[in-house]
């Protein structure tokens, strides 16, 4: 018998996931997930489809989004969980981020063309119709064209920061993003905080500042961290005042084979407490 699980960080084809929103929900149901959040990058396009599928499957659905935030080092991603509506402010930020994403894609494609590789935005769009395109899709196209063997190789050689085809991204301002999420009835949560690339000795004051600016939750448990790091982040969250969330950051086996729905750091199943005792009371 499957044990009920929670997953508060997943992606669909509305951004850079493998499964359509409804297919993602059906897979979650098969895996025994009872509470599921869809948090696509800089878009809410898949939420209605996923919500309808979740209702049919008997899954508690959490409407979400993952916003890119302007940050001097590493990456700052802000989850908006429990959205009740899409406010004018959130819609505006999403539109701005989508415009910035398209500009970045065009700049990356120009670099690839300069290297003598035939590529166009139209060709990538044909390969991934209806999706919010980004570096993972460009990496997928490079695999299709046999420039590299895997998406990870595309990042390692060409698309990651410091590599020849990398282009800096533009993010939303933190204070504006926090307001936009709250005005949409949701709660802001800092995703995978180790991606900020701040040392353990300095991360405490940074997280305190983020908390003071209105971010309410911290995703201590994430597939990309070790259990020891997750425990340490949870302890930091308690000291700072954050509630704690957990997610797989699932994109699909074809995208990230090391991540499984309903599972997080160390392959651990995501316990109901992250919904019942953490996120739900904050909504």
């Amino acid at each position: 018998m499957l044990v009920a699980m929670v997953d508060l960080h997943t992606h669909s084809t509305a951004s850079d996931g493998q499964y359509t929103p409804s297919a993602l929900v059906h897979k979650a149901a098969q895996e025994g997930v009872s509470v599921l959040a869809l948090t696509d990058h800089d878009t809410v396009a898949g939420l209605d489809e996923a919500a309808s599928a979740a209702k049919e499957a008997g899954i508690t659905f959490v409407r979400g989004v993952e916003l890119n935030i302007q940050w001097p080092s590493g990456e700052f991603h802000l989850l908006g969980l429990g959205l009740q509506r899409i406010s004018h402010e959130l819609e505006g930020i999403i539109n701005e981020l989508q415009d910035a994403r398209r500009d970045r894609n065009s700049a990356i494609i120009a670099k690839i063309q300069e290297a003598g590789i035939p590529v166009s935005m139209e060709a990538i769009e044909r390969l991934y119709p209806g999706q919010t395109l980004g570096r993972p899709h460009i990496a997928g196209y490079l695999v299709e064209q046999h420039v590299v063997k895997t998406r990870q190789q595309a990042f390692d050689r060409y698309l990651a920061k410091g590599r020849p085809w990398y282009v800096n991204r533009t993010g939303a301002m933190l204070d504006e993003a926090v307001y936009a999420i709250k005005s949409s009835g949701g709660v802001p949560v800092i995703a995978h905080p180790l991606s900020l690339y701040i040392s353990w000795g300095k991360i405490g004051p940074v997280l305190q500042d983020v908390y003071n600016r209105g971010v309410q939750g911290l995703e201590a448990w994430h597939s990309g961290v070790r259990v020891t790091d997750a425990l340490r982040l949870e302890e930091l969250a308690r000291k700072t005042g954050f509630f704690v969330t957990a997610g797989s950051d699932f994109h699909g086996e074809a995208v990230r084979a090391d991540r499984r729905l309903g599972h997080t750091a160390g392959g651990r199943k995501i316990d109901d407490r992250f919904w019942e005792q953490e996120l739900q009371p904050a909504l």
Side-chain angles (χ1 to χ4, degrees):
M1 182 177 177
L2 291 173
V3 177
M5 295 176 289
V6 169
D7 201 330
L8 302 176
H9 188 163
T10 68
H11 297 276
S12 76
T13 52
S15 63
D16 57 347
Q18 175 183 347
Y19 296 96
T20 65
S22 55
L24 175 71
V25 170
H26 294 149
K27 183 171 179 59
Q30 293 171 357
E31 294 284 342
V33 174
S34 58
V35 180
L36 180 73
L38 178 59
T39 53
D40 278 315
H41 294 284
D42 305 331
T43 182
V44 292
L47 294 184
D48 287 345
E49 179 185 334
S52 178
K55 186 175 181 180
E56 291 181 5
I59 288 178
T60 298
F61 183 64
V62 180
R63 291 174 177 262
V65 69
E66 184 173 10
L67 301 176
N68 184 50
I69 303 300
Q70 195 68 29
W71 193 252
S73 64
E75 293 182 343
F76 190 149
H77 289 178
L78 187 67
L79 298 172
L81 296 177
L83 304 175
Q84 302 301 311
R85 55 194 168 274
I86 306 303
S87 67
H88 175 74
E89 291 81 6
L90 182 56
E91 183 179 14
I93 283 179
I94 288 173
N95 288 338
E96 289 174 4
L97 289 174
Q98 292 285 1
D99 288 344
R101 183 181 290 267
R102 282 189 287 270
D103 290 343
R104 187 192 195 203
N105 290 341
S106 296
I108 293 173
I109 288 170
K111 284 177 175 280
I112 298 172
Q113 290 171 338
E114 288 171 5
I117 297 171
V119 60
S120 68
M121 186 72 74
E122 292 74 21
I124 298 173
E125 288 172 345
R126 284 195 296 271
L127 191 60
Y128 301 102
Q131 297 190 30
T132 299
L133 300 182
R135 284 185 300 165
H137 305 91
I138 296 173
Y141 178 85
L142 293 173
V143 173
E144 289 286 327
Q145 296 300 306
H146 305 292
V147 177
V148 292
K149 292 183 178 179
T150 65
R151 287 190 181 198
Q152 189 58 52
Q153 191 177 75
F155 275 87
D156 292 342
R157 290 186 179 180
Y158 303 115
L159 298 173
K161 193 168 186 177
R163 299 306 180 188
W165 300 339
Y166 180 80
V167 174
N168 285 327
R169 70 176 69 199
T170 300
M173 295 296 102
L174 176 59
D175 295 338
E176 294 176 3
V178 167
Y179 181 80
I181 290 168
K182 289 184 175 180
S183 68
S184 299
V187 292
V189 175
I190 181 171
H192 40 72
L194 292 189
S195 294
L196 297 173
Y197 290 170
I198 298 173
S199 67
W200 284 108
K202 297 179 179 179
I203 198 170
V206 173
L207 292 179
Q208 185 66 62
D209 177 64
V210 170
Y211 176 79
N212 292 344
R213 291 166 71 177
V215 177
Q216 297 167 260
L218 184 142
E219 186 184 46
W221 291 85
H222 180 272
S223 296
V225 304
R226 298 172 300 177
V227 170
T228 53
D229 292 334
L231 291 169
R232 192 171 181 180
L233 284 168
E234 182 161 359
E235 183 180 2
L236 265 174
R238 304 296 180 205
K239 289 180 180 178
T240 307
F242 292 110
F243 66 83
V244 175
T245 69
S248 65
D249 202 354
F250 180 77
H251 287 70
E253 300 85 356
V255 181
R256 290 295 302 260
D258 58 328
R259 297 179 182 179
R260 183 180 172 190
L261 278 169
H263 295 71
T264 188
R268 292 190 178 188
K269 291 181 178 179
I270 303 175
D271 192 86
D272 284 348
R273 74 178 175 95
F274 292 105
W275 166 247
E276 295 177 354
Q277 300 173 31
E278 302 286 349
L279 178 58
Q280 190 176 30
L283 295 176

